[in-house]
Amino acid sequence: MWNKRELQRKIEEWLHEDIGFGDITTMSTIPEEEQGTGILYAKEAGIIAGLPIAQLVFETVDPSITFVAKAGEGDRVEIGQQIAEVEGSARSILTGERLALNLLQRLSGIATRTNQYVQAIAGTKARVVDTRKTTPGLRLLEKYAVRVGGGHNHRFALYDAVMIKDNHIKGAGGIKMAVAAAREAIPHTMKIEVETESIEQVREALEAGADIIMLDNMDNERMKEAVQLIAGRAVVEASGGVTLETIRSIAETGVDVISVGALTHSVKALDISLDLNQRKR
Amino acid sequence: MWNKRELQRKIEEWLHEDIGFGDITTMSTIPEEEQGTGILYAKEAGIIAGLPIAQLVFETVDPSITFVAKAGEGDRVEIGQQIAEVEGSARSILTGERLALNLLQRLSGIATRTNQYVQAIAGTKARVVDTRKTTPGLRLLEKYAVRVGGGHNHRFALYDAVMIKDNHIKGAGGIKMAVAAAREAIPHTMKIEVETESIEQVREALEAGADIIMLDNMDNERMKEAVQLIAGRAVVEASGGVTLETIRSIAETGVDVISVGALTHSVKALDISLDLNQRKR
Amino acid sequence: MWNKRELQRKIEEWLHEDIGFGDITTMSTIPEEEQGTGILYAKEAGIIAGLPIAQLVFETVDPSITFVAKAGEGDRVEIGQQIAEVEGSARSILTGERLALNLLQRLSGIATRTNQYVQAIAGTKARVVDTRKTTPGLRLLEKYAVRVGGGHNHRFALYDAVMIKDNHIKGAGGIKMAVAAAREAIPHTMKIEVETESIEQVREALEAGADIIMLDNMDNERMKEAVQLIAGRAVVEASGGVTLETIRSIAETGVDVISVGALTHSVKALDISLDLNQRKR
Amino acid sequence: MWNKRELQRKIEEWLHEDIGFGDITTMSTIPEEEQGTGILYAKEAGIIAGLPIAQLVFETVDPSITFVAKAGEGDRVEIGQQIAEVEGSARSILTGERLALNLLQRLSGIATRTNQYVQAIAGTKARVVDTRKTTPGLRLLEKYAVRVGGGHNHRFALYDAVMIKDNHIKGAGGIKMAVAAAREAIPHTMKIEVETESIEQVREALEAGADIIMLDNMDNERMKEAVQLIAGRAVVEASGGVTLETIRSIAETGVDVISVGALTHSVKALDISLDLNQRKR
Amino acid sequence: MWNKRELQRKIEEWLHEDIGFGDITTMSTIPEEEQGTGILYAKEAGIIAGLPIAQLVFETVDPSITFVAKAGEGDRVEIGQQIAEVEGSARSILTGERLALNLLQRLSGIATRTNQYVQAIAGTKARVVDTRKTTPGLRLLEKYAVRVGGGHNHRFALYDAVMIKDNHIKGAGGIKMAVAAAREAIPHTMKIEVETESIEQVREALEAGADIIMLDNMDNERMKEAVQLIAGRAVVEASGGVTLETIRSIAETGVDVISVGALTHSVKALDISLDLNQRKR
Amino acid sequence: MWNKRELQRKIEEWLHEDIGFGDITTMSTIPEEEQGTGILYAKEAGIIAGLPIAQLVFETVDPSITFVAKAGEGDRVEIGQQIAEVEGSARSILTGERLALNLLQRLSGIATRTNQYVQAIAGTKARVVDTRKTTPGLRLLEKYAVRVGGGHNHRFALYDAVMIKDNHIKGAGGIKMAVAAAREAIPHTMKIEVETESIEQVREALEAGADIIMLDNMDNERMKEAVQLIAGRAVVEASGGVTLETIRSIAETGVDVISVGALTHSVKALDISLDLNQRKR
């Protein structure tokens, strides 16, 4: 669901960051006509995300490279398993390798982590969603990796949904006035979410007509109470310090959505390598 | 040592990613004239990096905002400690908050991690350096955070130093030929590093006139042997799977430089928050 | 609610389109130090929209220009009424004049037209909204002018709300499947609108859980029937060939929203002029 | 005569305005492999302009789309007549449809209007030309549509010809001095036009050596007099409040060129639709 | 007559070319607070051009720098003469020095050369003009330097005047048809120049109504004949292999304009240096 | 060793500078379907550089053009010798001609000049290298041309090597402190060069551990002394006012590198022309 043209422009910039005026090592040591076959393989088990992006990196470096995925996007791979094969000019493969790996490792790290959260609440009705705590410049890709890992997305940015927090409530003079002001300003095609810290605020948000009510850092008892109070009249989102240990009990309170900042703000790269066999043409 | 003009352009792009055509919540709920004072404080102990960048974020959102650092760049802060104070339009502070925090948390996470590695080898002559395993689009900032944390940088990109690896050696027909080809192609102002996997290769690299010799995944005994063989005629770099547990013993082999990919490829954000007090003007 | 930084970049491009390497007439005939006072005034009655944009045009041409609005954004002005006063370098005023007027005339034309539709349904509960039939490159400004004229906006683009039309229904295998597929793919913060052409389709959309139901080119009787069937369980939008003559009777069917393509696709510029008095400094 | 590379870059931007990070409706409801055939047809009679631009829009969205024009650029079409056929991925056609139509409708609206003016003066020697009152960002396309409709262009911008108006005359100290100053500053390859409001000014402009003399808001008698006075020694242009009703009598005064702002500042879009038949591949 | 905004963007790019991620020498050796006064002086006699551009370079590097010109744009300077004084941060002055000098030396080189040609034909009525043989990316600046040196400009580019050469004549089927085709296609505000190689072609161009007739590589006798034939009915331009030795005799044939490619295609930089005195603040 | 993607973007900009909204002459006089064969040939003897760049220019104008080099990059050509053949649309060839020639002439001029310097020191061990006195925006191409002519490059920019000059030495408090400060700040992969003006300074630089020592404007005797003192412990570079007359004697002092600003700051274009034969298709 990401936009290919936008992505190509970003890849061009990232390649510029790493290559600048040229990969001086490769240009001076590898003959121009030398061919190679590179194998991308997992050095760690996890969920693979980013294969189409890695492919686009190599194709941007050199349109004559062929990239064949050996695993499906979202597949779980084991240590040593082949993920993709890339074939073409040895120079081009070496020049694109680092960016392709940096992206693939990061996105697979996110998908792997997301999937652990999703597995942890299997059987409940709740969705695991991300936040805006993403890496600057990589938001769309990171949110894509969350989906590949089985999660869902929260709003993309400040422009595609209203999220009324503490300071907005104070600025507008109360939840009711904040929701009314937003409703008047935004298209009828947009939703309004209100962040609440007490059952009292949940009630106010409900009366104000919020489409989504976020329960911020509430304990599970409070959340159950809120879910019963809301009774399907708004989407219920749990948020705040969610961990792999706590997520199942949160899901069991009956909330619809659980948002987890750690999906994207603290990523452990999945270890993936490229082995190149080169040959004279 | 980063370039302010370049950075401003990136910040504009990142703000666009998060704000797009507008922060619809803030615009519709917070009065335009409302003022505020925001306090950035640590929710976790660590090394702070990125204060000038956070300042530039707020100033780009709104040049009339004032930002006063309460901690020095590179300082260790404790839980609850104030890091900075930002004052001005409440709307502007809320709109810039997320990007400022996303950057500050990430860079402080890198500086904190780097500093642990640097402390671990205190008293030895070795430098801790980063790699090219950085986040696409953020390389200069991440390498800056490494320096703030007390580390040093490896080459910035493919264009500012020669690094001859396995595939380059094969492509050129041996270490000697690879070094010679690179030396002829590059300016006399650039250095050549050769990656070696055996004492035999170390010897070859030395004879070829390499400026830097990387010992790739060698055990400590082999590294000591290499250091003695090289005897100051080239810079010696250790690389491969370095951890906080192993780095001290590696440093004690006498190498000059130890490169650590995990400084940037798997970052745990340092937890930092912004508390805003708003008031009518 | 539009983004100032984005707008400045566009104004730069538009100035480049009109000025290129220089306003050769002004540069060669008007002395550099000559000052002037320009009066913008209406040559036709209507609603003024775009004053802050016109101001930004002049300030971009020359930051030392002062621009004082003599009418409020959204005010109705009569023939001959002064709208704004611009003061500064005569060269700069002449060079920025055309772009400022082209924008102001167009946006005021949209606000004026929109306001006629809004007046026509005064007292009903319906909103007049725009469509995606905007001028390429000017969408945000044109949607802003609709708001200035008293209208509201529909979705901004293909990315901020789901709108399921005939072809999407066929592609997904029915309304129910289309809504379900979209609901699974999108964030919980986004809404789904379904375009319907019969009461039968309205019923299907309602059962599928659509947030908004568009009644496409239905007659008023059919719309009344739909409004009763939906009974507040979804927002109801009327669409298709709406004119100033027909809009009141449509609003009286009880729909919530009426979308009008002509607000933006066929704009009559409001006639506005600039008179410059120049003087030696 | 427009530049294809420039146009492609603009189309990319306009697609971004409408698509952003993705057409979420189409992506989630239409299978990726689904094919379709779209027919563009006229819902109103008029002159078609913009077919190559619409083609470029679809090809930019998806290079595998084929676009076959069914009418010639500049042809008059009748209600219901097919204009073009577009074939390929159903997703791509739906995603590009709006921008293609927005451009085609607007440019055809301009060509249709222009053609009415051109027909109105058929048999006279005068040219109908446009002005700089174009939509910001669309000038080259709008001027192209004027040509397609049988009109001609005035200068493109402030940089490609000198146009001395009232304020320039005052700034330079008279028509003679203004023309002399401009002649000295500009290349010998450029022309100078002077705007005149009286026969006296016409005479001055003629003596000053103006290449083109504009008669601004003169009545027909005055214009005849001016034409006789000028007697072929300069191009004569009539300007100011020209309508379809008045243009023929203006042309019959013997002027060479008649400029009409309404060709571009107040455009009624020509109604054009796209019908898509989709099928599984 | 050049556009300041455009120029600033170019200077940003050129600074990026030279500075990239930072001037590592200056950043690591010069204290941030160190101030300096730099004197720009001539090491060779010539005409100075580019002072406002050099000023813009320093101001772009650091807005707090002050730049005071000690010579006027277009002045002749002698060896050792001071040209400008620049004061502010020592770091900023050193970082901007190279770009400022590279531009100033090149533009002064062009102005100096142009002035020699202009002096050589003093007293005749002919203009010395440049060509399109400029450095890619620097055309506007180089054409500006020609004007500073006392010369005039030819057309700026392919879009602002018609120049019909040999191949265009063949393509159109003769001079008459080429001029007619161009006249029909272009605005009435543009001129048509025809390149001729014989008196016969001059006659054809004149009959076709060319505004400018270029005499390409004709000897002086032939040019005199052409001037008499044309007799003021078109501007006459001499072109082809013009040198400082031959230009006077060419001017004396009575031509209006003499175009000289060497003004810009083979530039000898004027030798200019910057001496910096630094001090602790 | 230059980056093709970067270059394409620059060529687009340069084409825009020359073509803007269109080559109005060619568009209006040459039939769209007309084909042509253009021959690029030398009108002067010299070293050819820039053929791949000229090819890229034509391919960017029109991807269907074929370009066949008739000489090798770096070959010496004689007067009248064919350099390349370009075949395709006559319009496209004419539109791209000027930019292709402007680049080819300039780069060949640089290669030709460089080669004279290289020939002059044939048999010595010294390298001829360029400086940062390049044309803004063209540095990579000009440095490429130096290599084609048999020379080598100095550092590319301020970011890829340290060059400590007079002002840096003063700022840091001496050569020793300047080298130490730089060494601490930069990666171990970068070199440090120190500019010296006396034997005393050479000694200091050597003791400070400089990698490269530049002898600035020293006479040959002093340089010999410096070479003996340094004795291979650093690269030795001669610099300052080097001419074709003096370079051999400088090389014979035993220096490793001789830098020559005139290679790029004062370029005489090599005279190259394009002859087009056009034909109806």
Side-chain angles (χ1 to χ4, degrees), chain E:
Chain E
M1 204 180 280
W2 35 268
N3 182 318
K4 193 178 173 185
R5 280 184 308 281
E6 298 293 302
L7 188 54
Q8 281 178 313
R9 231 168 295 156
K10 284 200 171 245
I11 286 174
E12 289 278 350
E13 274 176 48
W14 296 331
L15 285 171
H16 178 76
E17 182 186 62
D18 195 33
I19 306 178
F21 57 78
D23 175 353
I24 55 179
T25 309
T26 297
M27 297 298 273
S28 61
T29 59
I30 309 264
E32 193 174 353
E33 66 285 359
E34 191 147 320
Q35 299 294 296
T37 303
I39 302 293
L40 288 151
Y41 65 97
K43 298 178 72 173
E44 185 177 3
I47 304 290
I48 289 301
L51 285 168
I53 292 109
Q55 176 167 2
L56 202 50
V57 169
F58 284 113
E59 290 173 357
T60 303
V61 169
D62 181 347
S64 71
I65 284 185
T66 59
F67 180 102
V68 179
K70 300 286 187 185
E73 188 78 346
D75 279 4
R76 161 163 292 273
V77 295
E78 301 307 324
I79 295 186
Q81 187 174 332
Q82 292 195 5
I83 300 169
E85 186 179 299
V86 52
E87 180 138 11
S89 151
R91 282 188 175 185
S92 301
I93 294 172
L94 286 168
T95 299
E97 171 185 0
R98 187 73 267 139
L99 177 59
L101 285 179
N102 280 354
L103 286 165
L104 200 54
Q105 291 183 324
R106 175 172 196 84
L107 297 181
S108 299
I110 291 174
T112 302
R113 174 73 54 95
T114 300
N115 197 250
Q116 294 165 346
Y117 281 90
V118 171
Q119 295 305 333
I121 62 167
T124 73
K125 69 164 190 183
R127 283 182 170 194
V128 174
V129 305
D130 50 34
T131 64
R132 284 169 48 241
K133 296 181 181 175
T134 55
T135 312
L138 294 181
R139 181 168 292 171
L140 290 179
L141 287 184
E142 294 186 347
K143 282 184 168 268
Y144 163 77
V146 166
R147 293 197 303 274
V148 171
H152 285 80
N153 298 138
H154 206 295
R155 63 174 174 167
F156 278 83
L158 294 171
Y159 55 78
D160 65 332
V162 169
M163 165 84 87
I164 295 171
K165 302 188 182 186
D166 187 36
N167 289 106
H168 302 111
I169 295 171
K170 283 186 208 151
I175 287 177
K176 195 175 166 186
M177 289 178 72
V179 171
R183 190 71 77 197
E184 171 57 23
I186 64 171
H188 61 286
T189 53
M190 282 190 179
K191 285 191 180 172
I192 295 173
E193 175 162 2
V194 176
E195 192 177 306
T196 63
E197 291 169 356
S198 66
I199 294 296
E200 184 44 38
Q201 283 195 318
V202 170
R203 201 182 315 269
E204 280 184 63
L206 202 58
E207 282 165 10
D211 299 298
I212 308 161
I213 296 175
M214 182 206 276
L215 312 178
D216 188 35
N217 277 305
M218 293 190 189
D219 59 35
N220 291 355
E221 282 316 300
R222 201 82 56 93
M223 287 203 271
K224 269 184 213 160
E225 190 181 345
V227 168
Q228 283 164 1
L229 174 62
I230 294 167
R233 286 172 293 171
V235 173
V236 186
E237 174 181 337
S239 180
V242 180
T243 65
L244 263 179
E245 287 67 40
T246 60
I247 193 168
R248 177 132 206 123
S249 64
I250 294 170
E252 289 170 345
T253 64
V255 298
D256 302 297
V257 174
I258 305 172
S259 53
V260 185
L263 297 188
T264 54
H265 73 51
S266 294
V267 176
K268 201 191 145 300
L270 191 75
D271 200 356
I272 299 172
S273 261
L274 185 150
D275 257 16
L276 177 66
N277 280 302
Q278 65 215 88
R279 62 187 177 282
K280 308 297 171 198
R281 187 153 55 174

Side-chain angles (χ1 to χ4, degrees), chain A residues 17-19 25-26 28-29 98 102 132 134-135 137-139 158 162-163 167-168 172 181 266-267 269 276 278, chain B residues 17-18 25-26 28-29 98 102 132 134-135 137-139 158-159 162-163 167-168 171 181 266-267 269 276 278:
Chain A
E17 182 186 61
D18 195 31
I19 306 179
T25 310
T26 297
S28 61
T29 58
R98 187 73 266 138
N102 280 355
R132 283 169 47 240
T134 54
T135 311
L138 295 181
R139 181 167 291 170
L158 294 171
V162 169
M163 165 84 86
N167 289 105
H168 301 112
S266 295
V267 176
L276 176 67
Q278 67 214 88
Chain B
E17 181 186 62
D18 195 31
T25 309
T26 297
S28 60
T29 59
R98 187 73 267 138
N102 280 355
R132 283 170 47 240
T134 55
T135 312
L138 295 180
R139 181 168 291 169
L158 294 171
Y159 57 79
V162 169
M163 164 83 87
N167 291 107
H168 302 111
S266 295
V267 176
L276 176 66
Q278 67 215 89

Side-chain angles (χ1 to χ4, degrees), chain C residues 231-279:
Chain C
R233 288 172 291 171
V235 173
V236 187
E237 175 181 336
S239 180
V242 179
T243 66
L244 262 180
E245 287 68 40
T246 62
I247 193 169
R248 176 128 207 128
S249 65
I250 294 169
E252 290 171 346
T253 64
V255 298
D256 302 297
V257 173
I258 304 172
S259 54
V260 185
L263 297 187
T264 53
H265 72 51
S266 295
V267 176
K268 202 193 144 299
L270 191 74
D271 199 356
I272 299 172
S273 261
L274 185 150
D275 258 16
L276 176 65
N277 280 301
Q278 67 215 86
R279 62 187 176 281

Side-chain angles (χ1 to χ4, degrees), chain D residues 251-277:
Chain D
E252 289 172 346
T253 63
V255 299
D256 302 297
V257 173
I258 305 172
S259 54
V260 185
L263 297 187
T264 54
H265 73 51
S266 294
V267 176
K268 204 194 142 300
L270 192 74
D271 200 356
I272 299 172
S273 262
L274 184 150
D275 259 16
L276 176 66
N277 280 300

Side-chain angles (χ1 to χ4, degrees), chain C residues 153-214:
Chain C
N153 298 137
H154 206 296
R155 64 174 172 165
F156 278 84
L158 294 171
Y159 56 79
D160 66 332
V162 169
M163 165 83 87
I164 294 171
K165 302 189 184 187
D166 189 38
N167 290 106
H168 302 112
I169 295 171
K170 283 186 209 152
I175 288 176
K176 196 175 164 184
M177 291 178 70
V179 172
R183 190 70 78 197
E184 172 57 25
I186 65 173
H188 62 286
T189 54
M190 281 190 181
K191 284 190 179 171
I192 295 173
E193 175 163 2
V194 176
E195 191 177 306
T196 64
E197 290 169 355
S198 66
I199 294 298
E200 186 44 41
Q201 282 196 319
V202 170
R203 202 180 317 267
E204 281 183 63
L206 203 56
E207 282 165 9
D211 298 298
I212 308 162
I213 296 176
M214 181 206 277

Side-chain angles (χ1 to χ4, degrees), chain D residues 61-72:
Chain D
V61 169
D62 181 348
S64 71
I65 283 186
T66 60
F67 180 101
V68 179
K70 298 288 186 183

